[in-house]
Amino acid sequence: MDVSASTTAASGVKTDVKTGNGMIRPNSFRVVAGPCTVESYEQFYASAEAVKKAGFEYVRGGAFKPRTSPYSFQGLGEEGLKILSEVAGEFGLKVVSEVMDPYDIELVMEHADVLQIGARNMANFSLLKRVGAAIAGTRHGAVLKRGLSSTVEEWLQAAEYITSSGGDNVVLCERGIRTFESSTRFTLDLSAVIVAKRLTDLPVIVDPSHAAGRRDLVVPLSKASVAAEADGLMVESHHDPQEALCDGEQALPAEALHGLKGILRPFASAMGREVI
Ligand code: PEP
Ligand code: MN
């Protein structure tokens, strides 16, 4: 099937969504940072403060966590969402947070500006349709992560479930795919970023943290993402990664986050973009 036919105006689907409700802006490179999960008020406050001090405007944090093992920490749920919106409000940050269940969409929308649909839910079509309908005509946007083993075509068609349900503000997120390579958690597929951007008007950001699974690769992969024409990044950061309940080994500590904007600036500027 010709993907381009299904994801451009040829299909009649509105794809003029470059702004993603303010999340993605022309000539800009958006950085979203924050912990994998909201663990407590104190933890999220310290992590959000580091995001603010690093000069970024969007904080991430999961309240509903799609953990592979049912015995891993599942997130604080509604309590986590309340912490998210309260702390983000104090710092004037916008919030990206995951929704896993159609039942929780309204609740997540009350506390977050952008709804994340995780890699494990990319093909949950009823969730995609419900999110599309729920964010239609609102200030909210959605970030759609690429499935662990999904092709670009499947990813774009999943996005179209959201857009065709009325949710225009969709941002695609490449977060690494499963390959035979074992030195990283997943394999960051930067070709997919470029291919997706050629096939659709939707913005594409990169999550180097889940792709690498190790913090020493996060900054180099971030630089590479700028060069690969990505519209932004979603990185995990934590005020105390050793103590993180989830994904600590891939989280940037505050000092590294503080340096990120300056490190990316010359790369972004070479691409005609400003890091925001
Ligand atoms: C996350 O962003 O914390 C997450 C679970 O990501 P993914 O769905 O890409 O694994
Ligand atoms: Mn994570």
Side-chain angles (χ1 to χ4, degrees), residues 28-143:
S28 299
F29 186 80
R30 167 69 70 197
V31 178
V32 180
C36 182
T37 182
V38 180
E39 300 166 17
S40 66
Y41 184 90
E42 293 70 26
Q43 170 260 3
F44 191 69
Y45 188 96
S47 296
E49 187 174 40
V51 172
K52 180 77 182 180
K53 284 194 176 150
F56 301 125
E57 299 168 353
Y58 274 69
V59 67
R60 61 150 288 149
F64 295 106
K65 294 305 300 176
R67 305 304 299 276
T68 301
S69 165
Y71 307 111
S72 302
F73 177 59
Q74 304 287 311
L76 292 179
E78 183 167 3
E79 188 195 338
L81 288 171
K82 288 182 180 157
I83 294 172
L84 262 175
S85 56
E86 190 181 329
V87 170
E90 278 196 43
F91 289 112
L93 295 166
K94 297 263 204 271
V95 172
V96 180
S97 196
E98 177 155 358
V99 61
M100 292 174 57
D101 188 324
Y103 180 79
D104 297 318
I105 292 173
E106 303 296 327
L107 181 64
V108 177
M109 284 175 70
E110 269 177 46
H111 297 279
D113 302 279
V114 178
L115 277 59
Q116 175 174 322
I117 295 159
R120 290 159 191 80
N121 267 319
M122 188 208 83
N124 182 343
F125 304 120
S126 50
L127 176 65
L128 300 174
K129 286 193 270 188
R130 299 267 193 115
V131 166
I135 65 173
T138 71
R139 65 182 178 81
H140 294 82
V143 166

Side-chain angles (χ1 to χ4, degrees), residues 35-37 60 62 65-66 98 116-121 145-146 148 175 185-186 207 210 234 236 246-247 250:
C36 182
T37 182
R60 61 150 288 149
K65 294 305 300 176
E98 177 155 358
Q116 175 174 322
I117 295 159
R120 290 159 191 80
N121 267 319
K145 292 213 159 180
R146 181 181 179 190
L148 313 183
R175 45 80 72 216
R185 188 175 178 189
F186 294 91
D207 173 348
H210 288 89
M234 179 145 69
E236 285 190 341
C246 176
D247 287 351
Q250 67 195 35

